[in-house]
Amino acid sequence: MDLDAVRTFVAAADAGQFQDAAAALSITQQAVSKRIAALEKDLEVRLFTRTARGARLTIDGQAFLPHARELLRVEARADASVRPGRRALRVDVHSRRTAPAVLLQDFHRAHPRIELDVVTLDADVQAATAAVEAGTIDATFHAVTVPAHQLPGAIRTARVIDEHHEILVGPRHALANARAVTPAQLAEHRIWMPGMAPGTEWAAYYDELAVAFGLTIDRVGPVFGNEVLLAEIADSAELATLAGERTRYLWPDSYDLRRIPVRDPAPIYPMSLIWRDDNPHPALSELRDHLSSRRVGTPDEKVWMPKWAQHADPTS
């Protein structure tokens, strides 16, 4: 069904005059007549009866009018669901458990009037950046591993998260009662991170971390989900895994899992917000300002970051 014709029909019904409907739609009266005639032909009914005072709805026209209004409301909702500036701000996070999701929830609490659509593309930085460039999403959070001049021309980035690490162990693990551990101490223990995809920015990060401190990061094993990972660690005296300090995990009290900060130096996983500089969505700048104001530095702490993080992305 031609929605322009439906829109013209509603305007004519409201105005009671084809001439007034034409003025409201900024088209000619002849165009109004042609659209109404085409709609009547499509529906195979008469919608208006011409009178000395203008145009009066027929019984069929009266029956069709509420449905025509609903068609236009659906059209408006459909348009708003995808059009930047009208739809919700669409932001990608790799996982709803990690620091970006936590910060987006904080943003939503601070700006409840802003509609927010949190999606999970389950993509690496290249694929997520391509989605930003294409306009599929407004922004994404990832570690940026290349200098700015190697990114697509319209893409902009700003480092907004410096995520500290914690080691996650069960109650029988040798480090279970430690208040903090060093990377050197971790070199003596197996760190289990099954299913880490090679070639991703997080795999590059953990490869460099392992080389820097002589860590054994075991990626072997099928991935059955976080619940199974936590159960295995809780039941083991040897297994441990690394997690961001703001990563949200839930487990039964009986597991008695321990989250222990890694310090001296503290490994930092740097994450950036990635967006298009010509994105017109009005809420994007508010998100950027919010993230910038919430960023916490560690000037007095000894930290470690991969070499690519030191040149890949500004900290603005």
Side-chain angles (χ1 to χ4, degrees):
M1 188 172 293
D2 183 351
L3 289 178
D4 282 336
V6 174
R7 187 174 295 104
T8 303
F9 163 75
V10 171
D14 290 342
Q17 296 273 357
F18 281 15
Q19 183 177 355
D20 291 345
L25 297 171
S26 299
I27 59 177
T28 65
Q29 183 174 341
Q30 184 181 16
V32 170
S33 298
K34 285 184 177 180
R35 288 182 183 181
I36 297 297
L39 185 60
E40 289 177 329
K41 182 179 180 180
D42 184 40
L43 295 173
E44 299 181 350
V45 296
R46 290 289 301 276
L47 297 172
F48 288 100
T49 298
R50 297 280 190 143
T51 70
R53 296 183 179 181
R56 186 178 66 190
L57 286 172
T58 65
I59 293 176
D60 287 322
Q62 294 173 33
F64 182 63
L65 182 59
H67 301 291
R69 295 191 193 280
E70 182 59 24
L71 282 172
L72 298 181
R73 283 192 288 268
V74 171
E75 179 199 26
R77 290 197 296 270
D79 182 81
S81 72
V82 296
R83 189 182 297 277
R86 296 184 184 177
R87 62 164 169 76
L89 182 69
R90 190 177 296 157
V91 185
D92 164 56
V93 295
H94 183 69
S95 168
R96 297 182 188 274
R97 298 177 184 269
T98 55
V102 174
L103 286 177
L104 282 178
Q105 186 177 13
D106 179 54
F107 173 71
H108 175 65
R109 287 171 176 164
H111 302 275
R113 64 180 179 79
I114 294 177
E115 290 188 74
L116 190 62
D117 183 11
V118 181
V119 301
T120 53
L121 295 183
D122 193 21
D124 63 11
V125 63
Q126 288 84 9
T129 300
V132 171
E133 188 178 20
T136 306
I137 54 176
D138 296 305
T140 186
F141 291 88
H142 277 274
V144 178
T145 59
V146 299
H149 69 268
Q150 294 183 21
L151 295 169
I155 294 297
R156 298 293 178 266
T157 68
R159 206 169 89 211
V160 293
I161 301 173
D162 288 346
E163 183 74 337
H164 285 69
H165 281 288
E166 295 175 333
I167 194 78
L168 184 63
V169 298
R172 296 189 295 120
H173 195 278
L175 299 174
N177 296 317
R179 297 185 63 181
V181 297
T182 66
Q185 288 176 283
L186 295 183
E188 303 173 10
H189 301 276
R190 176 186 170 200
I191 301 172
W192 191 38
M193 304 183 77
M196 191 188 306
T200 58
E201 71 269 22
W202 47 90
Y205 171 86
Y206 285 108
D207 285 344
E208 193 168 332
L209 179 66
V211 170
F213 297 104
L215 305 184
T216 300
I217 297 180
D218 184 358
R219 305 179 186 179
V220 176
V223 180
F224 293 109
N226 287 312
E227 290 73 15
V228 173
L229 175 70
L230 296 175
E232 292 284 348
I233 291 174
D235 195 44
S236 173
E238 298 178 355
L239 292 179
T241 195
L242 286 168
E245 66 177 353
R246 283 175 283 192
T247 299
R248 296 179 288 198
Y249 286 120
L250 294 175
W251 58 77
D253 290 342
S254 60
Y255 283 12
D256 195 20
L257 291 170
R258 319 290 173 83
R259 297 181 68 145
I260 305 165
V262 183
R263 297 289 186 267
D264 196 27
I268 297 294
Y269 189 84
M271 280 182 277
S272 299
L273 186 72
I274 303 172
W275 73 96
R276 278 187 69 109
D277 65 348
D278 57 354
N279 186 315
H281 202 295
L284 182 57
S285 60
E286 294 192 57
L287 174 63
R288 290 167 51 200
D289 290 344
H290 177 87
L291 294 173
S292 178
S293 69
R294 296 301 193 277
R295 186 171 177 229
V296 178
T298 53
D300 300 325
E301 183 177 16
K302 186 178 180 183
V303 301
W304 177 90
M305 284 190 292
K307 293 178 180 178
W308 46 260
Q310 300 169 21
H311 64 77
D313 192 43
T315 56
S316 60

